[in-house]
Amino acid sequence: MSWVINAGKSRHNEDQACCEVVYVESRRGISGVSKEPSHNQGFSFYYWGLFDGHAGGGAAEMASRLLHRHIREQLKDLVEILQDPLPPPLCLPSTPGTPGVSKPSQLVSPQSGWFPQKEVTHDSLVVGAIENAFQLMDEQMARERRGHQVEGGCCALVVVYLLGKMYVANAGDSRAIIIRNGEIIPMSREFTPETERQRLQLLGFLKPELLGSEFTHLEFPRRVQAKELGQRMLYRDQNMTGWAYKKIGLDDLKFPLVCGEGKKARVMATIGVTRGLGDHNLKVCSSTLPIKPFLSCFPEVRVYDLTQYEHCPDDVLVLGTDGLWDVTNDSEVAATVDRVLSSYEPNDPSRYTALAQALVLGARGIPRDRGWRLPNNKLGSGDDISVFVIPLGGPGSSYS
């Protein structure tokens, strides 16, 4: 792991990171799966988390201390189920020790033609546990934001390695990619006003009270001017990916819910990310209108099965906050992975730390007369930069 404070431009780092091995013990009284001796044992999961704070570091600091504990609590009900080869039970008994219930088939009636039962995988149970943990973390921030000074919010990028699989959960604009045999495998995507425009617009359309009298859910190529009333202008709504023309009315003079593009895109002219934790006190500038209803705490979770591939020591999972990805693309990261790892012996575990440092310093650039610059003379990242490099094969990858 490596990090740098906004290229040395200030003393404060709003990024936080966490790396833990977490043991999960079955919650007492949970039954409904076969009681083989091995199924009574708990399990451990490996955990990495990057938390990119904004408007203060309180939310990121709190999430780095507590989110993995919420994940552990959500997994307690699943200890026996995940280690049982049978499909997950549809229902768990409402009271501990329900007599005569020992197998999933005894918990539900047989499938009928009228009520077919959906197939639920073990992977989806882990995904659901992680999603619930994010929501519970966000709710805890809401409860404790005053007493514990949990200011601001944070993007969260988390990896859980459990029973041979990597679960990559992302809420925000941090990103993760796998480099395997030189191939780039995206394991997340950014959640910004642009990528989630239609979700935001749909919410504004369904609940116009959230927009107050200041905003419109419609998007225009630029701010509509009063002199354009009655003219036909390009627009798009929550149902559209393309553009069409509409006659401009008075409501169209309001500020658009989603405006700008790229790193300058904003929700309600205020925030540039649409998923994350915290931000419960965030208001529109010079207004009492809350922005939190448009921000989702739920991550997108992608699953990577390590048992399906033979990994070599140069195969890695790279996690980075947007301070890395703002100035570095996937191909450039892959090239750095190849350059740095090839300069070390395959059995040297320090090669991964060196790689993380190279990625961070490469994105920061070097100080010159006109600021911090990359080798191509473009501006380096002006943000905090944090990177995890997780080996998938070779020394340091035996997650057992």
Side-chain angles (χ1 to χ4, degrees):
M1 197 263 170
S2 184
W3 56 269
V4 65
I5 301 175
N6 49 58
K9 297 179 180 68
S10 78
R11 297 180 180 180
H12 304 290
N13 185 2
E14 291 183 334
D15 283 1
Q16 294 289 322
C18 180
C19 179
E20 297 280 350
V21 180
V22 183
Y23 181 73
V24 185
E25 188 174 17
S26 177
R27 203 183 306 277
R28 291 187 177 183
I30 295 297
S31 60
V33 294
S34 57
K35 297 294 185 179
E36 300 291 337
S38 61
H39 297 150
N40 293 325
Q41 304 299 316
F43 52 62
S44 295
F45 66 85
Y46 288 74
Y47 172 90
W48 299 263
L50 286 180
F51 305 94
D52 184 356
H54 49 257
E61 192 277 334
M62 185 176 185
S64 70
R65 289 188 293 106
L66 299 177
L67 181 56
H68 59 284
R69 299 183 185 181
H70 283 292
I71 294 175
R72 179 185 62 195
E73 285 300 309
Q74 292 301 301
L75 289 173
K76 283 184 176 181
D77 288 342
L78 306 179
V79 169
E80 297 166 354
I81 295 171
L82 293 177
Q83 297 180 94
D84 193 294
L86 294 174
L90 179 61
C91 299
L92 295 176
S94 57
T95 56
T98 302
V101 177
S102 61
K103 294 184 178 181
S105 60
Q106 294 176 286
L107 287 169
V108 295
S109 59
Q111 293 184 11
S112 69
W114 296 105
F115 300 103
Q117 181 177 321
K118 284 188 175 181
E119 180 180 348
V120 176
T121 65
H122 289 81
D123 284 354
S124 66
L125 292 180
V126 178
V127 171
I130 294 171
E131 290 170 335
N132 279 341
F134 269 68
Q135 183 180 29
L136 291 168
M137 182 74 259
D138 193 59
E139 291 173 352
Q140 183 177 359
M141 288 181 176
R143 291 192 305 270
E144 301 181 8
R145 64 185 185 273
R146 292 182 179 87
H148 292 74
Q149 296 183 332
V150 185
E151 75 276 9
C154 68
C155 299
L157 176 61
V158 162
V159 175
V160 171
Y161 174 79
L162 175 63
L163 301 175
K165 296 180 180 179
M166 292 277 193
Y167 298 83
V168 181
N170 184 46
D173 59 0
S174 298
R175 288 205 298 115
I177 62 172
I178 284 175
I179 311 296
R180 187 184 70 207
N181 195 26
E183 178 188 3
I184 299 169
I185 304 171
M187 290 303 297
S188 68
R189 62 188 176 104
E190 296 177 336
F191 292 99
T192 68
E194 285 187 303
T195 64
E196 292 214 282
R197 172 186 62 83
Q198 288 177 280
R199 177 183 73 81
L200 299 169
Q201 287 181 312
L202 178 60
L203 181 58
F205 172 74
L206 295 175
K207 296 187 174 183
E209 65 273 15
L210 296 177
L211 300 172
S213 60
E214 306 165 49
F215 293 90
T216 172
H217 74 284
L218 299 179
E219 181 185 20
F220 300 91
R222 61 162 170 77
R223 184 78 184 272
V224 180
Q225 302 177 38
K227 65 181 181 180
E228 292 164 332
L229 281 169
Q231 297 183 24
R232 291 171 61 82
M233 179 177 280
L234 287 168
Y235 85 105
R236 58 182 176 181
D237 64 16
Q238 67 278 2
N239 300 310
M240 302 169 65
T241 56
W243 296 83
Y245 288 94
K246 76 177 293 289
K247 186 176 180 179
I248 297 299
L250 285 173
D251 280 349
D252 299 323
L253 297 179
K254 297 176 181 178
F255 205 90
L257 170 63
V258 175
C259 63
E261 59 184 351
K263 293 300 290 185
K264 294 183 179 180
R266 294 291 183 270
V267 178
M268 302 179 107
T270 304
I271 187 170
V273 291
T274 53
R275 298 201 191 190
L277 302 169
D279 289 313
H280 294 280
N281 295 324
L282 187 62
K283 303 284 196 299
V284 174
C285 184
S286 302
S287 170
T288 59
L289 204 58
I291 299 177
K292 181 63 175 178
F294 290 97
L295 308 180
S296 172
C297 64
F298 284 94
E300 178 186 65
V301 185
R302 299 188 183 184
V303 185
Y304 181 80
D305 190 345
L306 268 75
T307 66
Q308 296 299 306
Y309 306 94
E310 287 290 335
H311 293 93
C312 73
D314 289 355
D315 295 340
V316 293
L317 171 60
V318 177
L319 314 181
T321 57
D322 66 326
L324 172 70
W325 304 110
D326 284 350
V327 298
T328 311
N329 61 40
D330 293 356
S331 297
E332 290 168 334
V333 168
T336 302
V337 169
D338 179 64
R339 173 176 57 83
V340 173
L341 294 186
S342 63
S343 66
Y344 285 80
E345 292 295 325
N347 61 351
D348 184 351
S350 68
R351 64 206 301 260
Y352 304 110
T353 303
L355 171 57
Q357 292 173 341
L359 290 169
V360 166
L361 295 178
R364 181 183 68 170
I366 58 176
R368 294 182 181 171
D369 293 340
R370 293 179 296 157
W372 294 75
R373 297 280 171 172
L374 304 177
N376 60 10
N377 208 37
K378 291 184 178 180
L379 284 173
S381 177
D383 201 354
D384 300 325
I385 312 167
S386 300
V387 171
F388 269 123
V389 174
I390 303 171
L392 304 180
S397 64
S398 301
Y399 310 119
S400 60

